[in-house]
Every structure is written in structure tokens, then in C-alpha cells.
Amino acid sequence: MSVSPAPKSRVNARGAIPDATVGRLPMYHRCLVTMSARGVLLVSSEELAEASGVSSAKLRKDLSFLGSYGTRGVGYEVEFLLYQIARALGLTQEWPVVIVGIGNLGHALAGYPGFASRGFSVVGLFDTDVNRVGETVVVAGKSIVVQDLTKLPQVVMSTGASIGVIATPENAAQDVCDLMVRNGISSILNFAPTLLEVPHGVDMRRVDLATELQILAFHEQRKSQIAMTEANAG
Amino acid sequence: MSVSPAPKSRVNARGAIPDATVGRLPMYHRCLVTMSARGVLLVSSEELAEASGVSSAKLRKDLSFLGSYGTRGVGYEVEFLLYQIARALGLTQEWPVVIVGIGNLGHALAGYPGFASRGFSVVGLFDTDVNRVGETVVVAGKSIVVQDLTKLPQVVMSTGASIGVIATPENAAQDVCDLMVRNGISSILNFAPTLLEVPHGVDMRRVDLATELQILAFHEQRKSQIAMTEANAG
DNA sequence: TAGATTGTTAATCGATTAACAATC
DNA sequence: TAGATTGTTAATCGATTAACAATC
């Protein structure tokens, strides 16, 4: 028996999917859903890449991390590839989700059809505002009543929810986060501008509605600077 | 006179800020705003990095692309660094913004305080729904009336807006995008799930409210797979 | 001066890309 | 078989990191 060489990397050692690839899978998934709805049966890497806004080389590389699900000379079966991507992302199982903070943003999130269609089922809506508690919100065709935040523990317990969404004002976010973590939520999506402290083992992702706007402003500014420079030069 | 070596890279040839760095500037900006509000005068790279959730080496590298705004042995003046980051992002100038689609999400965006405080001023709210047109929305302390989408051209013309936000349902997004582009909007922030076609020269960034949730599900699934593997092994 | 912290260097790591062998 | 397209390779590129010289 010979000595086997050490694995090149610790992180992506065993069949792991690179972060950059995981970040693009939702986009591929969305494009395939659209194609599937149109009745498309087969798709080439060139076509799917074009629809997703990436290069075909990148697309094929990304898909190769999931497995070998295409046919050389032919392409990919839309339904089959769709299923494999959904499976890789974890969308073939049901994920009970609780949402806290039912203002405008919370309503928008609760009503977003893209959640239900991807296996996320909203099992609880919570707020602390007495004017909002008791309100009925229609989520994926079903009516859900907004409950007081104090009811969160029993809902998490009874539904086994592990994912929580924070759509509260800034100053409430950390308390809500702590409450979620204490009650067994292990993945948190945070729409409040605050950076939240979570214990090790809990995943937190933050979506700042203003970040992309600032990046647009950066590019817009650069465009006009370049225009000015060229005007002076020419 | 000697022959000078060719520049290493074409893209970042002349003082350009790397994309990865630009993506983190809004976060540094936010942390500095918080510190400034607390009356903090000086901050070290270690402290700001900790607050921003990055390593201090990465933070110093990022800041070094903007210029040399710290003092060795001392740290960074909060107000000064805040200004320099704002300036790099383009936030020291006023950006008139139009928002189309004033449902729950549009309301949430229009009411988001983080827009006004960063130099974005909402100069127009538009919808096609006759039940929404005429509604008054309070934006940054001022009342704005929702107008019919057909009024967008004159508002863009009179305000010089170059940034547009799309918060419509999926099926309206491309038409709204085309209308914006025809009328001189050159940067678009798209909250509809659709990938939009824009002509060359127009910047488009898309925020999918479900993407991060899917990435969370991916990691959550992986966590439970690991837990199962370990349980079987041990 | 002694202590502290920046700004920069160089090594490493991960992501992207083009090209093409494999194979339908 | 001829044509098409995948899956993989290897080169390149960009981002991250640790270490430390510069300097307050």
C-alpha cells in the first residue's frame, strides 16, 4: 500500500461546491423554471448561459460540480437539470420559515410567490405592534394571522422551523435575532441594516436594500468622470 | 530614456477600485455612520474590521485603494474616512431616483431612510394601477403623490434622474425597463425576478429577494447532512 | 525612544477562461 | 461517419492573507 498524496485544499476537499457556484445556482434554477414553463425540453450550455447572463464555460464548470447531468453532442434535459439543481440547493424539501416584522417589507416578503414555489412555506408571521397583530395576510393562497412575537417559541417548536427572516426596524433586529436563536432557529435572513451577532453554528445572511443602489451610484459617477475626461482630452 | 514596462492588467490599470472592494464599501460606510453617531472620533483597522465582519488585513487593503487616509500608529479619523468612502461611492452628490411599482415592496423602498441619508432623493413614484395612482406616500419627511407611469418621461426630463428602481410584478418589468432607458435612465436597480435586457452602456443590477434564502437552505441542508454522517460514523 | 498601527509586499488561494479531448 | 456539445484541463486572472517595513 502506497502513501497517498495529501488533498490540495482543506475547504473544498471532498465534493464541496464552491461559494461562487452556489451563488449562481438560484439564477440557473430560475431560468430553467421559465424554460420548463415554456415547454422547452432540451437546453444547451450556450443557451442556458445566455439566459443566465454568464459565459457557457462558466456554466458548464458550475454544473460539473453538481455531477455529470448533460449529454455530449445533445445538451441538458430541462426537467432533469432543474431537479438536480433544486436538489443541490435543498429546494426539494420543505423549509418552514418564520417572518418577524410585518410592515411593508414583511408583507412583500410574505406575499412573494418565489418563496412558496421553491419549497419555503411561511408558517408564522410575527410583530410586536398591537395594530398589526391579528391582521390576516394571504400567503401562497392561504390566510395567515399575524401573531404577537411572544408566540414565536411555540410556533418554532411545533413546526420545526429552522429558518427565520428579520424584516423589523433596525433597533429591534438584534433582540429578534437573539429570540430566534434561543428557540432553535439556525439560519437567519436579515433585511434590517444592522449587522447581527450570532453564535457559532448559526448562519446569518444580510440583504441591504441600499447596497446595490450605492454600487450603481459608484459606476454612474465613474461613467460621468470618464465622459468629462474624454471631453477635455478631445 | 528607458523603455517602461507594460502595465500588468488592462482592467485595473489606472487607479481603478476592484469590484470586491467596491462591494464592501457600503458596509464600511454604514459602520462608520454608526460610529460617527456614537461620537467616536478615531478608529483602528482592527476595530472597523471587527464591526464590518472582515479581517483587518482585508480592510486596510480595501482602504488603500481609495488613498492613504490613516495615520500610522494612530488609526483613522472617523469623519474624514467616512467622507472619503462616501466620495468614492458617489454619495457626496445628490442622485435623483424614480421608483416604478408602488406595491408593498415599492412602499418599503420609498420609505427606507437609508436612501435619503445617502444622497438618493426620490423624485418620482409611478404605477399603472388606477387604485394606486394619486396615493400620497411620505418619503424622507416629504409627501409624494404616486403618478401614472405615462408621466415618467417628463419627471425624468425635469429632474435629470439617471437612476431608476423597478419594483413591479415580473410581467411588467421589461416594459418598464425599456421605458426608463428610452427616457435617459442609465442605471437600473431591478427587484423583479426577471433578467432584463438593457442596451450597452446601461447598468443593471438585480436583487432577488429569494436568492439569499436559497443559499441559506443550501447551507442548512449541508449542516444536517454532516450531522447525519457524523452520527453514522460515531 | 518605545509602542502602536498603517500601507505595502509577496505568497497563496480561489475563480474564470479558452481550448479541446471525450463522446453522444 | 460527421457534426455537435459536454466535461475537464491547464493557464490566467483577481482576491485574500500574513508578515513586516514604514512611520506616527
Side-chain angles (χ1 to χ4, degrees), chain B residues 37-228:
Chain B
R38 285 199 203 120
V40 179
L41 299 178
L42 266 175
V43 68
S44 70
S45 63
E46 195 61 58
E47 291 162 339
L48 182 53
E50 154 94 40
S52 307
V54 302
S55 72
S56 67
K58 190 186 270 185
L59 175 80
R60 287 199 302 278
K61 189 110 236 265
D62 283 341
L63 295 185
S64 76
F65 290 112
L66 309 189
S68 188
Y69 298 133
T71 309
R72 289 167 202 241
V74 179
Y76 302 87
E77 276 187 47
V78 170
E79 295 303 325
F80 183 61
L81 185 58
L82 185 51
Y83 172 76
Q84 294 299 342
I85 291 179
R87 194 168 63 104
L89 279 170
L91 307 183
T92 51
Q93 58 186 283
E94 190 88 349
W95 294 103
V97 170
V98 294
I99 303 179
V100 177
I102 313 300
N104 283 318
L105 181 60
H107 272 104
L109 295 170
Y112 182 47
F115 285 2
S117 72
R118 288 176 179 79
F120 301 103
S121 93
V122 176
V123 295
L125 300 176
F126 303 94
D127 209 303
T128 53
D129 185 338
V130 289
N131 295 315
R132 283 181 189 150
V133 172
E135 184 195 343
T136 298
V137 178
V138 177
V139 179
K142 274 182 277 187
S143 290
I144 298 195
V145 176
V146 178
Q147 296 176 270
D148 189 88
L149 186 56
T150 56
K151 300 292 198 312
L152 183 135
Q154 35 189 282
V155 171
V156 170
M157 176 76 78
S158 65
T159 61
S162 61
I163 299 179
V165 178
I166 299 178
T168 66
E170 189 167 354
N171 56 23
Q174 184 65 59
D175 284 349
V176 169
C177 176
D178 295 345
L179 179 72
M180 285 181 170
V181 170
R182 272 200 307 279
N183 287 280
I185 294 290
S186 50
S187 289
I188 295 174
L189 181 56
N190 174 30
F191 284 92
T194 326
L195 261 98
L196 302 178
E197 298 271 338
V198 289
H200 183 76
V202 175
D203 278 331
M204 208 276 284
R205 300 189 72 91
R206 177 173 162 273
V207 177
D208 176 4
L209 298 179
T211 291
E212 300 294 311
L213 200 56
Q214 290 170 74
I215 295 173
L216 273 181
F218 172 84
H219 288 295
E220 192 73 16
Q221 175 180 241
R222 205 166 51 92
K223 277 191 277 185
S224 63
Q225 282 168 352
I226 292 169
M228 277 170 56

Side-chain angles (χ1 to χ4, degrees), chain A residues 16-17 19 22-23 25-27 29-31 34 50-53 86-93 95 97 103-105 107-109 112 114-115 118 120 162-165 170 186-189 191 193-195 197 201-224, chain B residues 16-17 19 22-23 25-27 29-31 34 50-53 86-93 95 97 103-105 107-109 112 114-115 118 120 162-165 170 186-189 191 193-195 197 201-224:
Chain A
I17 302 175
D19 283 348
V22 173
L25 291 181
M27 171 65 69
H29 184 263
R30 153 154 288 276
C31 291
T34 304
E50 154 95 39
S52 307
R87 194 168 63 103
L89 279 171
L91 308 183
T92 51
Q93 58 185 286
W95 293 102
V97 170
N104 283 318
L105 181 58
H107 272 104
L109 295 171
Y112 183 46
F115 285 2
R118 287 175 180 80
F120 300 103
S162 61
I163 299 179
V165 177
E170 190 167 353
S186 50
S187 289
I188 294 174
L189 181 56
F191 285 92
T194 327
L195 262 98
E197 298 271 339
V202 175
D203 279 330
M204 209 274 284
R205 300 189 73 90
R206 178 174 161 272
V207 176
D208 176 4
L209 298 179
T211 291
E212 299 295 310
L213 199 57
Q214 290 170 72
I215 294 173
L216 274 181
F218 172 84
H219 289 294
E220 192 72 17
Q221 175 181 243
R222 204 166 52 92
K223 277 192 276 186
S224 62
Chain B
I17 303 176
D19 284 349
V22 174
L25 291 181
M27 171 65 69
H29 184 264
R30 152 156 289 276
C31 290
T34 304
E50 154 94 40
S52 307
R87 194 168 63 104
L89 279 170
L91 307 183
T92 51
Q93 58 186 283
W95 294 103
V97 170
N104 283 318
L105 181 60
H107 272 104
L109 295 170
Y112 182 47
F115 285 2
R118 288 176 179 79
F120 301 103
S162 61
I163 299 179
V165 178
E170 189 167 354
S186 50
S187 289
I188 295 174
L189 181 56
F191 284 92
T194 326
L195 261 98
E197 298 271 338
V202 175
D203 278 331
M204 208 276 284
R205 300 189 72 91
R206 177 173 162 273
V207 177
D208 176 4
L209 298 179
T211 291
E212 300 294 311
L213 200 56
Q214 290 170 74
I215 295 173
L216 273 181
F218 172 84
H219 288 295
E220 192 73 16
Q221 175 180 241
R222 205 166 51 92
K223 277 191 277 185
S224 63

Side-chain angles (χ1 to χ4, degrees), chain A residues 41-186:
Chain A
L41 298 178
L42 265 174
V43 67
S44 69
S45 64
E46 196 61 59
E47 291 163 339
L48 182 53
E50 154 95 39
S52 307
V54 301
S55 72
S56 66
K58 191 186 270 187
L59 175 79
R60 287 199 301 279
K61 189 111 237 269
D62 282 341
L63 295 184
S64 76
F65 290 112
L66 309 189
S68 187
Y69 297 133
T71 308
R72 288 165 202 242
V74 179
Y76 302 87
E77 277 188 46
V78 170
E79 296 303 325
F80 183 60
L81 185 58
L82 186 50
Y83 172 76
Q84 294 298 343
I85 291 179
R87 194 168 63 103
L89 279 171
L91 308 183
T92 51
Q93 58 185 286
E94 190 90 348
W95 293 102
V97 170
V98 294
I99 302 179
V100 177
I102 314 300
N104 283 318
L105 181 58
H107 272 104
L109 295 171
Y112 183 46
F115 285 2
S117 72
R118 287 175 180 80
F120 300 103
S121 93
V122 176
V123 295
L125 300 175
F126 304 93
D127 209 302
T128 52
D129 185 339
V130 289
N131 295 314
R132 283 181 188 149
V133 172
E135 184 195 343
T136 297
V137 179
V138 177
V139 179
K142 275 182 275 187
S143 290
I144 298 196
V145 176
V146 178
Q147 296 176 269
D148 188 88
L149 185 55
T150 55
K151 300 292 200 309
L152 183 134
Q154 36 189 281
V155 172
V156 170
M157 176 76 79
S158 65
T159 61
S162 61
I163 299 179
V165 177
I166 298 179
T168 66
E170 190 167 353
N171 56 24
Q174 185 64 59
D175 284 349
V176 169
C177 175
D178 295 345
L179 179 71
M180 285 181 169
V181 171
R182 271 202 306 278
N183 287 280
I185 295 291
S186 50

